[in-house]
Amino acid sequence: MARWDQSDWTEDHLVGGHPVLDFLNTAGGRTKQRDVERLPEFASFVAWSEITNIVSIDEADMLREVAEDDPAAADAELAAARRFREALHGCMMAEQANTPWPPAERDAVLSDIRQALLAAQLQEDGGRYGWVVSSGSPGLSLPIDRLALATEALLRSEDLARMRNCERCSWLFIDRGRGRARRWCSMAACGSRAKSARYYERRKAGSA
């Protein structure tokens, strides 16, 4: 699997319309294959979590300090995050295709959600209640616990029915448009490549 330089992050890589889908999109390249790893190190996961506001600046600094003191634990947490990501991606691909979730991936996702709920507290905000994981006790599991809780919320939301898979790659996104259905993760990425491919095919057919 190709590795990713976190300095290459741009807005084109945050096109999911939901932090959980942006997390799923941290793997995968220009095709349906999940052949690019954008979280090669725990530090990359922390940087992504900070960019997407999964953790605050102070929490990100805390995670970096803990990871530096215990690199083996950080590596284990990164591996767990990747397993959750790929299991959830398999379930969400089935969901958007209106097919049953694969059993092994479903069990893995539900297990991580249950684990996050054990670390969470129910808090009220403006008359609405939600599960929240503070930075006090979970340690290195803070980002993945919050992503698991965000997944649980996504599964109960109206956005789930609006989830789509890009026609060219493995990335997922929420289509909130009211007009023509969105086909690409972004026009700057897969949309542009699809347009170029169509142009090439027309030129090829015209010269035949």
Side-chain angles (χ1 to χ4, degrees), residues 104-116:
E105 284 81 355
R106 178 182 183 274
D107 290 347
V109 168
L110 294 182
S111 176
D112 283 335
I113 290 175
R114 292 190 188 100
Q115 188 65 36

Side-chain angles (χ1 to χ4, degrees), residues 64-80:
R64 293 185 185 100
E65 290 179 5
V66 175
E68 185 175 352
D69 290 339
D70 194 346
D75 289 344
E77 198 62 43
L78 175 63

Side-chain angles (χ1 to χ4, degrees), residues 189-206:
C190 285
S192 178
R193 288 192 285 269
K195 184 177 179 180
S196 297
R198 290 195 300 269
Y199 175 77
Y200 172 78
E201 290 300 324
R202 288 196 299 268
R203 288 286 302 270
K204 184 178 178 181

Side-chain angles (χ1 to χ4, degrees), residues 2-204:
R3 291 172 65 86
W4 183 258
D5 183 347
Q6 66 189 61
S7 65
D8 290 336
W9 283 104
T10 71
E11 291 184 1
D12 289 335
H13 303 118
L14 301 174
V15 298
H18 192 284
V20 170
L21 300 190
D22 283 330
F23 175 57
L24 298 184
N25 296 345
T26 59
R30 297 185 176 187
T31 70
K32 294 293 183 180
Q33 302 299 314
R34 306 279 284 172
D35 56 357
V36 176
E37 177 56 73
R38 291 177 171 81
L39 302 178
E41 302 170 336
F42 186 76
S44 305
F45 185 31
V46 173
W48 177 88
S49 298
E50 183 178 352
I51 289 169
T52 54
N53 296 315
I54 296 299
V55 301
S56 68
I57 295 175
D58 289 342
E59 288 169 339
D61 289 341
M62 178 269 295
L63 289 168
R64 293 185 185 100
E65 290 179 5
V66 175
E68 185 175 352
D69 290 339
D70 194 346
D75 289 344
E77 198 62 43
L78 175 63
R82 288 175 179 172
R83 286 194 298 270
F84 175 71
R85 181 190 66 192
E86 295 310 301
L88 182 58
H89 185 267
C91 292
M92 294 299 94
M93 289 291 284
E95 180 70 26
Q96 65 87 37
N98 198 28
T99 58
W101 290 15
E105 284 81 355
R106 178 182 183 274
D107 290 347
V109 168
L110 294 182
S111 176
D112 283 335
I113 290 175
R114 292 190 188 100
Q115 188 65 36
L117 287 169
L118 289 175
Q121 299 171 338
L122 190 64
Q123 291 188 3
E124 185 268 342
D125 182 12
R128 302 184 65 179
Y129 289 85
W131 293 104
V132 176
V133 177
S134 70
S135 58
S137 58
L140 294 175
S141 68
L142 180 62
I144 195 61
D145 282 341
R146 286 183 175 168
L147 284 165
L149 293 180
T151 298
E152 189 272 339
L154 173 62
L155 295 176
R156 293 185 288 103
S157 75
E158 295 179 354
D159 277 341
L160 189 64
R162 303 187 181 102
M163 184 174 61
R164 303 288 184 268
N165 175 219
C166 178
E167 290 188 10
R168 287 184 66 90
C169 73
S170 71
W171 285 14
L172 293 157
F173 57 87
I174 304 298
D175 184 1
R176 296 190 177 93
R178 296 184 178 181
R180 187 175 180 180
R182 180 175 158 191
R183 301 173 62 189
W184 321 113
C185 56
S186 78
M187 282 304 300
C190 285
S192 178
R193 288 192 285 269
K195 184 177 179 180
S196 297
R198 290 195 300 269
Y199 175 77
Y200 172 78
E201 290 300 324
R202 288 196 299 268
R203 288 286 302 270
K204 184 178 178 181

